[in-house]
Amino acid sequence: AVVSTQSTGCRQMDERCGFTPGEPWFWPPPDQPGEEDEEEEEEWWQPDDTTLLPSLNNYLRYTHYYCVWCGTKYTDTEDMASHCPGPEQENHEEEETDFGDL
């Protein structure tokens, strides 16, 4: 579900900017409604999520200044560096507070 959401967002941002995808699998697989002839269907290859997620995240981050973990599109690298805690999901997790023995 995460990859599907990110790839759809990637396609929307790319199309707004007039870009083609950095890799074909960055966009969701093309829909081919009404085509039932399997011989004409193209093979759609997509890497597994553990490969695709970091690549897609980096593409969105450095091409569109979009952080998937913040859910925010920044204006530029400086804006992102000032307001985003980092490129990894772990950077965005709130630290647990240890109140000890209150």
PDB file of all heavy atoms in Angstrom, residues 44-82:
ATOM      1  N   TRP A  44       5.198  -6.423 -17.162  1.00  0.00           N
ATOM      2  CA  TRP A  44       5.422  -5.293 -16.266  1.00  0.00           C
ATOM      3  C   TRP A  44       6.280  -5.779 -15.117  1.00  0.00           C
ATOM      4  O   TRP A  44       5.848  -6.553 -14.293  1.00  0.00           O
ATOM      5  CB  TRP A  44       4.110  -4.720 -15.752  1.00  0.00           C
ATOM      6  CG  TRP A  44       4.348  -3.548 -14.860  1.00  0.00           C
ATOM      7  CD1 TRP A  44       4.271  -3.533 -13.497  1.00  0.00           C
ATOM      8  CD2 TRP A  44       4.751  -2.234 -15.236  1.00  0.00           C
ATOM      9  NE1 TRP A  44       4.598  -2.302 -13.005  1.00  0.00           N
ATOM     10  CE2 TRP A  44       4.892  -1.481 -14.068  1.00  0.00           C
ATOM     11  CE3 TRP A  44       5.009  -1.626 -16.456  1.00  0.00           C
ATOM     12  CZ2 TRP A  44       5.273  -0.151 -14.077  1.00  0.00           C
ATOM     13  CZ3 TRP A  44       5.393  -0.301 -16.450  1.00  0.00           C
ATOM     14  CH2 TRP A  44       5.508   0.424 -15.277  1.00  0.00           C
ATOM     15  N   TRP A  45       7.520  -5.337 -15.105  1.00  0.00           N
ATOM     16  CA  TRP A  45       8.436  -5.742 -14.051  1.00  0.00           C
ATOM     17  C   TRP A  45       8.567  -4.614 -13.053  1.00  0.00           C
ATOM     18  O   TRP A  45       8.665  -3.448 -13.418  1.00  0.00           O
ATOM     19  CB  TRP A  45       9.808  -6.055 -14.638  1.00  0.00           C
ATOM     20  CG  TRP A  45      10.783  -6.432 -13.575  1.00  0.00           C
ATOM     21  CD1 TRP A  45      10.930  -7.659 -13.017  1.00  0.00           C
ATOM     22  CD2 TRP A  45      11.713  -5.587 -12.918  1.00  0.00           C
ATOM     23  NE1 TRP A  45      11.898  -7.636 -12.053  1.00  0.00           N
ATOM     24  CE2 TRP A  45      12.393  -6.363 -11.973  1.00  0.00           C
ATOM     25  CE3 TRP A  45      12.033  -4.238 -13.021  1.00  0.00           C
ATOM     26  CZ2 TRP A  45      13.381  -5.852 -11.143  1.00  0.00           C
ATOM     27  CZ3 TRP A  45      13.019  -3.732 -12.197  1.00  0.00           C
ATOM     28  CH2 TRP A  45      13.694  -4.532 -11.271  1.00  0.00           C
ATOM     29  N   GLN A  46       8.542  -4.980 -11.799  1.00  0.00           N
ATOM     30  CA  GLN A  46       8.719  -3.992 -10.745  1.00  0.00           C
ATOM     31  C   GLN A  46       9.570  -4.649  -9.662  1.00  0.00           C
ATOM     32  O   GLN A  46       9.313  -5.784  -9.278  1.00  0.00           O
ATOM     33  CB  GLN A  46       7.367  -3.582 -10.179  1.00  0.00           C
ATOM     34  CG  GLN A  46       7.472  -2.543  -9.095  1.00  0.00           C
ATOM     35  CD  GLN A  46       6.109  -2.001  -8.708  1.00  0.00           C
ATOM     36  OE1 GLN A  46       5.178  -2.006  -9.496  1.00  0.00           O
ATOM     37  NE2 GLN A  46       5.982  -1.543  -7.486  1.00  0.00           N
ATOM     38  N   PRO A  47      10.579  -3.940  -9.166  1.00  0.00           N
ATOM     39  CA  PRO A  47      11.389  -4.519  -8.094  1.00  0.00           C
ATOM     40  C   PRO A  47      10.549  -4.713  -6.837  1.00  0.00           C
ATOM     41  O   PRO A  47       9.481  -4.127  -6.693  1.00  0.00           O
ATOM     42  CB  PRO A  47      12.489  -3.483  -7.868  1.00  0.00           C
ATOM     43  CG  PRO A  47      12.006  -2.229  -8.475  1.00  0.00           C
ATOM     44  CD  PRO A  47      10.988  -2.595  -9.508  1.00  0.00           C
ATOM     45  N   ASP A  48      11.058  -5.524  -5.917  1.00  0.00           N
ATOM     46  CA  ASP A  48      10.310  -5.729  -4.674  1.00  0.00           C
ATOM     47  C   ASP A  48      10.322  -4.450  -3.843  1.00  0.00           C
ATOM     48  O   ASP A  48      11.118  -3.543  -4.069  1.00  0.00           O
ATOM     49  CB  ASP A  48      10.870  -6.921  -3.883  1.00  0.00           C
ATOM     50  CG  ASP A  48      12.315  -6.711  -3.473  1.00  0.00           C
ATOM     51  OD1 ASP A  48      12.613  -5.721  -2.785  1.00  0.00           O
ATOM     52  OD2 ASP A  48      13.161  -7.548  -3.843  1.00  0.00           O
ATOM     53  N   ASP A  49       9.409  -4.378  -2.886  1.00  0.00           N
ATOM     54  CA  ASP A  49       9.233  -3.165  -2.092  1.00  0.00           C
ATOM     55  C   ASP A  49      10.501  -2.736  -1.356  1.00  0.00           C
ATOM     56  O   ASP A  49      10.745  -1.542  -1.189  1.00  0.00           O
ATOM     57  CB  ASP A  49       8.104  -3.343  -1.082  1.00  0.00           C
ATOM     58  CG  ASP A  49       6.734  -3.379  -1.736  1.00  0.00           C
ATOM     59  OD1 ASP A  49       6.665  -3.244  -2.983  1.00  0.00           O
ATOM     60  OD2 ASP A  49       5.734  -3.545  -1.015  1.00  0.00           O
ATOM     61  N   THR A  50      11.325  -3.696  -0.919  1.00  0.00           N
ATOM     62  CA  THR A  50      12.539  -3.320  -0.178  1.00  0.00           C
ATOM     63  C   THR A  50      13.542  -2.603  -1.073  1.00  0.00           C
ATOM     64  O   THR A  50      14.361  -1.830  -0.585  1.00  0.00           O
ATOM     65  CB  THR A  50      13.204  -4.553   0.468  1.00  0.00           C
ATOM     66  OG1 THR A  50      13.527  -5.495  -0.551  1.00  0.00           O
ATOM     67  CG2 THR A  50      12.314  -5.181   1.509  1.00  0.00           C
ATOM     68  N   THR A  51      13.465  -2.832  -2.365  1.00  0.00           N
ATOM     69  CA  THR A  51      14.324  -2.126  -3.324  1.00  0.00           C
ATOM     70  C   THR A  51      13.656  -0.847  -3.807  1.00  0.00           C
ATOM     71  O   THR A  51      14.293   0.200  -3.915  1.00  0.00           O
ATOM     72  CB  THR A  51      14.623  -3.025  -4.542  1.00  0.00           C
ATOM     73  OG1 THR A  51      15.225  -4.232  -4.077  1.00  0.00           O
ATOM     74  CG2 THR A  51      15.534  -2.340  -5.531  1.00  0.00           C
ATOM     75  N   LEU A  52      12.372  -0.956  -4.103  1.00  0.00           N
ATOM     76  CA  LEU A  52      11.653   0.168  -4.695  1.00  0.00           C
ATOM     77  C   LEU A  52      11.464   1.333  -3.731  1.00  0.00           C
ATOM     78  O   LEU A  52      11.649   2.482  -4.103  1.00  0.00           O
ATOM     79  CB  LEU A  52      10.289  -0.295  -5.220  1.00  0.00           C
ATOM     80  CG  LEU A  52       9.441   0.768  -5.893  1.00  0.00           C
ATOM     81  CD1 LEU A  52      10.170   1.389  -7.078  1.00  0.00           C
ATOM     82  CD2 LEU A  52       8.113   0.183  -6.344  1.00  0.00           C
ATOM     83  N   LEU A  53      11.090   1.057  -2.497  1.00  0.00           N
ATOM     84  CA  LEU A  53      10.796   2.133  -1.555  1.00  0.00           C
ATOM     85  C   LEU A  53      11.949   3.115  -1.373  1.00  0.00           C
ATOM     86  O   LEU A  53      11.745   4.324  -1.505  1.00  0.00           O
ATOM     87  CB  LEU A  53      10.362   1.557  -0.203  1.00  0.00           C
ATOM     88  CG  LEU A  53       8.984   2.015   0.174  1.00  0.00           C
ATOM     89  CD1 LEU A  53       7.971   0.927  -0.120  1.00  0.00           C
ATOM     90  CD2 LEU A  53       8.941   2.396   1.606  1.00  0.00           C
ATOM     91  N   PRO A  54      13.171   2.661  -1.074  1.00  0.00           N
ATOM     92  CA  PRO A  54      14.272   3.629  -0.929  1.00  0.00           C
ATOM     93  C   PRO A  54      14.567   4.398  -2.217  1.00  0.00           C
ATOM     94  O   PRO A  54      14.838   5.596  -2.176  1.00  0.00           O
ATOM     95  CB  PRO A  54      15.477   2.769  -0.524  1.00  0.00           C
ATOM     96  CG  PRO A  54      14.907   1.501  -0.017  1.00  0.00           C
ATOM     97  CD  PRO A  54      13.598   1.306  -0.732  1.00  0.00           C
ATOM     98  N   SER A  55      14.491   3.715  -3.362  1.00  0.00           N
ATOM     99  CA  SER A  55      14.756   4.390  -4.637  1.00  0.00           C
ATOM    100  C   SER A  55      13.698   5.445  -4.924  1.00  0.00           C
ATOM    101  O   SER A  55      14.015   6.568  -5.334  1.00  0.00           O
ATOM    102  CB  SER A  55      14.761   3.379  -5.783  1.00  0.00           C
ATOM    103  OG  SER A  55      15.788   2.455  -5.611  1.00  0.00           O
ATOM    104  N   LEU A  56      12.448   5.089  -4.720  1.00  0.00           N
ATOM    105  CA  LEU A  56      11.349   6.014  -4.954  1.00  0.00           C
ATOM    106  C   LEU A  56      11.411   7.178  -3.977  1.00  0.00           C
ATOM    107  O   LEU A  56      11.221   8.335  -4.348  1.00  0.00           O
ATOM    108  CB  LEU A  56      10.020   5.271  -4.839  1.00  0.00           C
ATOM    109  CG  LEU A  56       8.761   5.998  -5.245  1.00  0.00           C
ATOM    110  CD1 LEU A  56       8.869   6.596  -6.637  1.00  0.00           C
ATOM    111  CD2 LEU A  56       7.574   5.048  -5.166  1.00  0.00           C
ATOM    112  N   ASN A  57      11.717   6.880  -2.723  1.00  0.00           N
ATOM    113  CA  ASN A  57      11.847   7.921  -1.700  1.00  0.00           C
ATOM    114  C   ASN A  57      12.937   8.917  -2.094  1.00  0.00           C
ATOM    115  O   ASN A  57      12.733  10.135  -2.043  1.00  0.00           O
ATOM    116  CB  ASN A  57      12.153   7.280  -0.345  1.00  0.00           C
ATOM    117  CG  ASN A  57      12.219   8.287   0.786  1.00  0.00           C
ATOM    118  OD1 ASN A  57      11.696   9.388   0.692  1.00  0.00           O
ATOM    119  ND2 ASN A  57      12.863   7.894   1.860  1.00  0.00           N
ATOM    120  N   ASN A  58      14.094   8.416  -2.520  1.00  0.00           N
ATOM    121  CA  ASN A  58      15.190   9.300  -2.934  1.00  0.00           C
ATOM    122  C   ASN A  58      14.813  10.136  -4.143  1.00  0.00           C
ATOM    123  O   ASN A  58      15.127  11.325  -4.215  1.00  0.00           O
ATOM    124  CB  ASN A  58      16.459   8.494  -3.229  1.00  0.00           C
ATOM    125  CG  ASN A  58      17.147   8.024  -1.976  1.00  0.00           C
ATOM    126  OD1 ASN A  58      17.018   8.630  -0.919  1.00  0.00           O
ATOM    127  ND2 ASN A  58      17.861   6.930  -2.079  1.00  0.00           N
ATOM    128  N   TYR A  59      14.151   9.515  -5.103  1.00  0.00           N
ATOM    129  CA  TYR A  59      13.728  10.246  -6.305  1.00  0.00           C
ATOM    130  C   TYR A  59      12.784  11.385  -5.930  1.00  0.00           C
ATOM    131  O   TYR A  59      12.967  12.527  -6.359  1.00  0.00           O
ATOM    132  CB  TYR A  59      13.053   9.283  -7.281  1.00  0.00           C
ATOM    133  CG  TYR A  59      12.516   9.978  -8.517  1.00  0.00           C
ATOM    134  CD1 TYR A  59      13.380  10.393  -9.524  1.00  0.00           C
ATOM    135  CD2 TYR A  59      11.159  10.230  -8.661  1.00  0.00           C
ATOM    136  CE1 TYR A  59      12.895  11.034 -10.653  1.00  0.00           C
ATOM    137  CE2 TYR A  59      10.672  10.866  -9.786  1.00  0.00           C
ATOM    138  CZ  TYR A  59      11.537  11.273 -10.781  1.00  0.00           C
ATOM    139  OH  TYR A  59      11.056  11.914 -11.885  1.00  0.00           O
ATOM    140  N   LEU A  60      11.780  11.091  -5.115  1.00  0.00           N
ATOM    141  CA  LEU A  60      10.822  12.127  -4.711  1.00  0.00           C
ATOM    142  C   LEU A  60      11.511  13.219  -3.906  1.00  0.00           C
ATOM    143  O   LEU A  60      11.243  14.410  -4.069  1.00  0.00           O
ATOM    144  CB  LEU A  60       9.680  11.512  -3.895  1.00  0.00           C
ATOM    145  CG  LEU A  60       8.721  10.632  -4.684  1.00  0.00           C
ATOM    146  CD1 LEU A  60       7.793   9.874  -3.728  1.00  0.00           C
ATOM    147  CD2 LEU A  60       7.922  11.455  -5.672  1.00  0.00           C
ATOM    148  N   ARG A  61      12.420  12.817  -3.055  1.00  0.00           N
ATOM    149  CA  ARG A  61      13.121  13.749  -2.170  1.00  0.00           C
ATOM    150  C   ARG A  61      14.016  14.715  -2.953  1.00  0.00           C
ATOM    151  O   ARG A  61      13.992  15.912  -2.728  1.00  0.00           O
ATOM    152  CB  ARG A  61      13.950  12.929  -1.181  1.00  0.00           C
ATOM    153  CG  ARG A  61      14.499  13.690  -0.051  1.00  0.00           C
ATOM    154  CD  ARG A  61      15.083  12.720   0.981  1.00  0.00           C
ATOM    155  NE  ARG A  61      15.547  13.504   2.080  1.00  0.00           N
ATOM    156  CZ  ARG A  61      14.786  13.964   3.061  1.00  0.00           C
ATOM    157  NH1 ARG A  61      13.516  13.679   3.085  1.00  0.00           N
ATOM    158  NH2 ARG A  61      15.284  14.711   4.009  1.00  0.00           N
ATOM    159  N   TYR A  62      14.797  14.174  -3.877  1.00  0.00           N
ATOM    160  CA  TYR A  62      15.802  14.998  -4.540  1.00  0.00           C
ATOM    161  C   TYR A  62      15.342  15.581  -5.875  1.00  0.00           C
ATOM    162  O   TYR A  62      15.971  16.504  -6.373  1.00  0.00           O
ATOM    163  CB  TYR A  62      17.108  14.210  -4.690  1.00  0.00           C
ATOM    164  CG  TYR A  62      17.655  13.840  -3.329  1.00  0.00           C
ATOM    165  CD1 TYR A  62      17.638  12.528  -2.884  1.00  0.00           C
ATOM    166  CD2 TYR A  62      18.122  14.825  -2.461  1.00  0.00           C
ATOM    167  CE1 TYR A  62      18.107  12.195  -1.613  1.00  0.00           C
ATOM    168  CE2 TYR A  62      18.585  14.499  -1.196  1.00  0.00           C
ATOM    169  CZ  TYR A  62      18.579  13.185  -0.776  1.00  0.00           C
ATOM    170  OH  TYR A  62      19.029  12.876   0.473  1.00  0.00           O
ATOM    171  N   THR A  63      14.245  15.091  -6.417  1.00  0.00           N
ATOM    172  CA  THR A  63      13.712  15.645  -7.659  1.00  0.00           C
ATOM    173  C   THR A  63      12.590  16.638  -7.380  1.00  0.00           C
ATOM    174  O   THR A  63      12.529  17.700  -7.983  1.00  0.00           O
ATOM    175  CB  THR A  63      13.188  14.520  -8.581  1.00  0.00           C
ATOM    176  OG1 THR A  63      14.258  13.617  -8.838  1.00  0.00           O
ATOM    177  CG2 THR A  63      12.664  15.074  -9.892  1.00  0.00           C
ATOM    178  N   HIS A  64      11.720  16.270  -6.421  1.00  0.00           N
ATOM    179  CA  HIS A  64      10.536  17.091  -6.140  1.00  0.00           C
ATOM    180  C   HIS A  64      10.557  17.738  -4.745  1.00  0.00           C
ATOM    181  O   HIS A  64       9.594  18.409  -4.379  1.00  0.00           O
ATOM    182  CB  HIS A  64       9.269  16.246  -6.282  1.00  0.00           C
ATOM    183  CG  HIS A  64       9.031  15.772  -7.668  1.00  0.00           C
ATOM    184  ND1 HIS A  64       8.635  16.620  -8.683  1.00  0.00           N
ATOM    185  CD2 HIS A  64       9.138  14.538  -8.224  1.00  0.00           C
ATOM    186  CE1 HIS A  64       8.498  15.921  -9.795  1.00  0.00           C
ATOM    187  NE2 HIS A  64       8.810  14.666  -9.553  1.00  0.00           N
ATOM    188  N   TYR A  65      11.606  17.515  -3.974  1.00  0.00           N
ATOM    189  CA  TYR A  65      11.709  18.046  -2.604  1.00  0.00           C
ATOM    190  C   TYR A  65      10.511  17.599  -1.766  1.00  0.00           C
ATOM    191  O   TYR A  65       9.959  18.362  -0.986  1.00  0.00           O
ATOM    192  CB  TYR A  65      11.835  19.576  -2.587  1.00  0.00           C
ATOM    193  CG  TYR A  65      12.890  20.082  -3.528  1.00  0.00           C
ATOM    194  CD1 TYR A  65      12.556  20.841  -4.641  1.00  0.00           C
ATOM    195  CD2 TYR A  65      14.231  19.777  -3.321  1.00  0.00           C
ATOM    196  CE1 TYR A  65      13.521  21.292  -5.523  1.00  0.00           C
ATOM    197  CE2 TYR A  65      15.206  20.229  -4.203  1.00  0.00           C
ATOM    198  CZ  TYR A  65      14.838  20.982  -5.298  1.00  0.00           C
ATOM    199  OH  TYR A  65      15.792  21.417  -6.166  1.00  0.00           O
ATOM    200  N   TYR A  66      10.131  16.334  -1.948  1.00  0.00           N
ATOM    201  CA  TYR A  66       8.987  15.786  -1.226  1.00  0.00           C
ATOM    202  C   TYR A  66       9.477  14.712  -0.277  1.00  0.00           C
ATOM    203  O   TYR A  66      10.192  13.788  -0.666  1.00  0.00           O
ATOM    204  CB  TYR A  66       7.974  15.169  -2.207  1.00  0.00           C
ATOM    205  CG  TYR A  66       6.782  14.575  -1.510  1.00  0.00           C
ATOM    206  CD1 TYR A  66       5.755  15.386  -1.031  1.00  0.00           C
ATOM    207  CD2 TYR A  66       6.679  13.207  -1.308  1.00  0.00           C
ATOM    208  CE1 TYR A  66       4.663  14.847  -0.377  1.00  0.00           C
ATOM    209  CE2 TYR A  66       5.583  12.664  -0.665  1.00  0.00           C
ATOM    210  CZ  TYR A  66       4.585  13.484  -0.194  1.00  0.00           C
ATOM    211  OH  TYR A  66       3.507  12.948   0.467  1.00  0.00           O
ATOM    212  N   CYS A  67       9.105  14.828   0.990  1.00  0.00           N
ATOM    213  CA  CYS A  67       9.446  13.813   1.984  1.00  0.00           C
ATOM    214  C   CYS A  67       8.222  12.941   2.223  1.00  0.00           C
ATOM    215  O   CYS A  67       7.188  13.434   2.669  1.00  0.00           O
ATOM    216  CB  CYS A  67       9.896  14.457   3.287  1.00  0.00           C
ATOM    217  SG  CYS A  67      10.191  13.210   4.582  1.00  0.00           S
ATOM    218  N   VAL A  68       8.361  11.653   1.918  1.00  0.00           N
ATOM    219  CA  VAL A  68       7.233  10.740   2.101  1.00  0.00           C
ATOM    220  C   VAL A  68       6.904  10.551   3.567  1.00  0.00           C
ATOM    221  O   VAL A  68       5.761  10.272   3.914  1.00  0.00           O
ATOM    222  CB  VAL A  68       7.488   9.370   1.426  1.00  0.00           C
ATOM    223  CG1 VAL A  68       7.658   9.534  -0.068  1.00  0.00           C
ATOM    224  CG2 VAL A  68       8.674   8.660   2.021  1.00  0.00           C
ATOM    225  N   TRP A  69       7.869  10.718   4.443  1.00  0.00           N
ATOM    226  CA  TRP A  69       7.637  10.489   5.876  1.00  0.00           C
ATOM    227  C   TRP A  69       6.983  11.707   6.515  1.00  0.00           C
ATOM    228  O   TRP A  69       6.157  11.568   7.406  1.00  0.00           O
ATOM    229  CB  TRP A  69       8.942  10.128   6.575  1.00  0.00           C
ATOM    230  CG  TRP A  69       9.665   9.042   5.861  1.00  0.00           C
ATOM    231  CD1 TRP A  69      10.906   9.114   5.301  1.00  0.00           C
ATOM    232  CD2 TRP A  69       9.198   7.712   5.590  1.00  0.00           C
ATOM    233  NE1 TRP A  69      11.229   7.927   4.701  1.00  0.00           N
ATOM    234  CE2 TRP A  69      10.199   7.052   4.864  1.00  0.00           C
ATOM    235  CE3 TRP A  69       8.023   7.020   5.884  1.00  0.00           C
ATOM    236  CZ2 TRP A  69      10.071   5.726   4.435  1.00  0.00           C
ATOM    237  CZ3 TRP A  69       7.898   5.707   5.445  1.00  0.00           C
ATOM    238  CH2 TRP A  69       8.915   5.075   4.744  1.00  0.00           C
ATOM    239  N   CYS A  70       7.327  12.915   6.064  1.00  0.00           N
ATOM    240  CA  CYS A  70       6.660  14.129   6.560  1.00  0.00           C
ATOM    241  C   CYS A  70       5.321  14.327   5.851  1.00  0.00           C
ATOM    242  O   CYS A  70       4.420  14.961   6.384  1.00  0.00           O
ATOM    243  CB  CYS A  70       7.508  15.376   6.282  1.00  0.00           C
ATOM    244  SG  CYS A  70       9.053  15.496   7.179  1.00  0.00           S
ATOM    245  N   GLY A  71       5.248  13.824   4.604  1.00  0.00           N
ATOM    246  CA  GLY A  71       4.072  14.080   3.774  1.00  0.00           C
ATOM    247  C   GLY A  71       4.039  15.527   3.317  1.00  0.00           C
ATOM    248  O   GLY A  71       2.985  16.111   3.111  1.00  0.00           O
ATOM    249  N   THR A  72       5.226  16.105   3.127  1.00  0.00           N
ATOM    250  CA  THR A  72       5.337  17.528   2.806  1.00  0.00           C
ATOM    251  C   THR A  72       6.195  17.736   1.565  1.00  0.00           C
ATOM    252  O   THR A  72       7.247  17.117   1.420  1.00  0.00           O
ATOM    253  CB  THR A  72       5.967  18.286   3.994  1.00  0.00           C
ATOM    254  OG1 THR A  72       5.173  18.064   5.148  1.00  0.00           O
ATOM    255  CG2 THR A  72       6.081  19.769   3.720  1.00  0.00           C
ATOM    256  N   LYS A  73       5.762  18.648   0.708  1.00  0.00           N
ATOM    257  CA  LYS A  73       6.562  19.072  -0.441  1.00  0.00           C
ATOM    258  C   LYS A  73       7.216  20.392  -0.058  1.00  0.00           C
ATOM    259  O   LYS A  73       6.547  21.368   0.237  1.00  0.00           O
ATOM    260  CB  LYS A  73       5.693  19.237  -1.687  1.00  0.00           C
ATOM    261  CG  LYS A  73       6.504  19.610  -2.915  1.00  0.00           C
ATOM    262  CD  LYS A  73       5.665  19.552  -4.163  1.00  0.00           C
ATOM    263  CE  LYS A  73       6.363  19.924  -5.442  1.00  0.00           C
ATOM    264  NZ  LYS A  73       7.728  20.275  -5.449  1.00  0.00           N
ATOM    265  N   TYR A  74       8.523  20.408  -0.056  1.00  0.00           N
ATOM    266  CA  TYR A  74       9.278  21.595   0.329  1.00  0.00           C
ATOM    267  C   TYR A  74       9.612  22.410  -0.920  1.00  0.00           C
ATOM    268  O   TYR A  74       9.529  21.927  -2.039  1.00  0.00           O
ATOM    269  CB  TYR A  74      10.546  21.187   1.078  1.00  0.00           C
ATOM    270  CG  TYR A  74      10.224  20.478   2.378  1.00  0.00           C
ATOM    271  CD1 TYR A  74      10.186  19.096   2.456  1.00  0.00           C
ATOM    272  CD2 TYR A  74       9.895  21.203   3.516  1.00  0.00           C
ATOM    273  CE1 TYR A  74       9.862  18.453   3.638  1.00  0.00           C
ATOM    274  CE2 TYR A  74       9.565  20.569   4.710  1.00  0.00           C
ATOM    275  CZ  TYR A  74       9.553  19.195   4.759  1.00  0.00           C
ATOM    276  OH  TYR A  74       9.219  18.568   5.927  1.00  0.00           O
ATOM    277  N   THR A  75      10.001  23.651  -0.710  1.00  0.00           N
ATOM    278  CA  THR A  75      10.289  24.530  -1.851  1.00  0.00           C
ATOM    279  C   THR A  75      11.648  24.245  -2.489  1.00  0.00           C
ATOM    280  O   THR A  75      11.820  24.424  -3.682  1.00  0.00           O
ATOM    281  CB  THR A  75      10.216  26.017  -1.452  1.00  0.00           C
ATOM    282  OG1 THR A  75      11.116  26.237  -0.364  1.00  0.00           O
ATOM    283  CG2 THR A  75       8.810  26.401  -1.053  1.00  0.00           C
ATOM    284  N   ASP A  76      12.615  23.813  -1.672  1.00  0.00           N
ATOM    285  CA  ASP A  76      13.960  23.528  -2.187  1.00  0.00           C
ATOM    286  C   ASP A  76      14.732  22.727  -1.145  1.00  0.00           C
ATOM    287  O   ASP A  76      14.198  22.407  -0.084  1.00  0.00           O
ATOM    288  CB  ASP A  76      14.699  24.823  -2.538  1.00  0.00           C
ATOM    289  CG  ASP A  76      14.739  25.842  -1.398  1.00  0.00           C
ATOM    290  OD1 ASP A  76      14.735  25.432  -0.213  1.00  0.00           O
ATOM    291  OD2 ASP A  76      14.787  27.046  -1.690  1.00  0.00           O
ATOM    292  N   THR A  77      15.999  22.414  -1.443  1.00  0.00           N
ATOM    293  CA  THR A  77      16.793  21.605  -0.512  1.00  0.00           C
ATOM    294  C   THR A  77      17.017  22.312   0.818  1.00  0.00           C
ATOM    295  O   THR A  77      17.051  21.674   1.862  1.00  0.00           O
ATOM    296  CB  THR A  77      18.159  21.224  -1.135  1.00  0.00           C
ATOM    297  OG1 THR A  77      18.812  22.397  -1.593  1.00  0.00           O
ATOM    298  CG2 THR A  77      17.992  20.251  -2.260  1.00  0.00           C
ATOM    299  N   GLU A  78      17.154  23.626   0.779  1.00  0.00           N
ATOM    300  CA  GLU A  78      17.365  24.374   2.024  1.00  0.00           C
ATOM    301  C   GLU A  78      16.124  24.293   2.921  1.00  0.00           C
ATOM    302  O   GLU A  78      16.236  24.087   4.129  1.00  0.00           O
ATOM    303  CB  GLU A  78      17.690  25.836   1.705  1.00  0.00           C
ATOM    304  CG  GLU A  78      18.080  26.647   2.924  1.00  0.00           C
ATOM    305  CD  GLU A  78      18.484  28.063   2.566  1.00  0.00           C
ATOM    306  OE1 GLU A  78      19.262  28.243   1.615  1.00  0.00           O
ATOM    307  OE2 GLU A  78      18.008  28.986   3.249  1.00  0.00           O
ATOM    308  N   ASP A  79      14.953  24.464   2.331  1.00  0.00           N
ATOM    309  CA  ASP A  79      13.704  24.357   3.074  1.00  0.00           C
ATOM    310  C   ASP A  79      13.564  22.961   3.677  1.00  0.00           C
ATOM    311  O   ASP A  79      13.216  22.806   4.848  1.00  0.00           O
ATOM    312  CB  ASP A  79      12.530  24.664   2.135  1.00  0.00           C
ATOM    313  CG  ASP A  79      11.178  24.676   2.825  1.00  0.00           C
ATOM    314  OD1 ASP A  79      11.114  24.995   4.034  1.00  0.00           O
ATOM    315  OD2 ASP A  79      10.171  24.400   2.135  1.00  0.00           O
ATOM    316  N   MET A  80      13.896  21.938   2.887  1.00  0.00           N
ATOM    317  CA  MET A  80      13.807  20.564   3.375  1.00  0.00           C
ATOM    318  C   MET A  80      14.793  20.329   4.512  1.00  0.00           C
ATOM    319  O   MET A  80      14.451  19.741   5.540  1.00  0.00           O
ATOM    320  CB  MET A  80      14.055  19.567   2.248  1.00  0.00           C
ATOM    321  CG  MET A  80      13.904  18.123   2.683  1.00  0.00           C
ATOM    322  SD  MET A  80      14.135  16.946   1.338  1.00  0.00           S
ATOM    323  CE  MET A  80      12.493  16.938   0.665  1.00  0.00           C
ATOM    324  N   ALA A  81      16.024  20.805   4.351  1.00  0.00           N
ATOM    325  CA  ALA A  81      17.045  20.615   5.382  1.00  0.00           C
ATOM    326  C   ALA A  81      16.660  21.310   6.693  1.00  0.00           C
ATOM    327  O   ALA A  81      16.976  20.826   7.779  1.00  0.00           O
ATOM    328  CB  ALA A  81      18.389  21.127   4.890  1.00  0.00           C
ATOM    329  N   SER A  82      15.943  22.424   6.589  1.00  0.00           N
ATOM    330  CA  SER A  82      15.546  23.181   7.776  1.00  0.00           C
ATOM    331  C   SER A  82      14.353  22.581   8.514  1.00  0.00           C
ATOM    332  O   SER A  82      14.223  22.754   9.719  1.00  0.00           O
ATOM    333  CB  SER A  82      15.178  24.617   7.397  1.00  0.00           C
ATOM    334  OG  SER A  82      16.273  25.273   6.844  1.00  0.00           O
TER     335      SER A  82
END
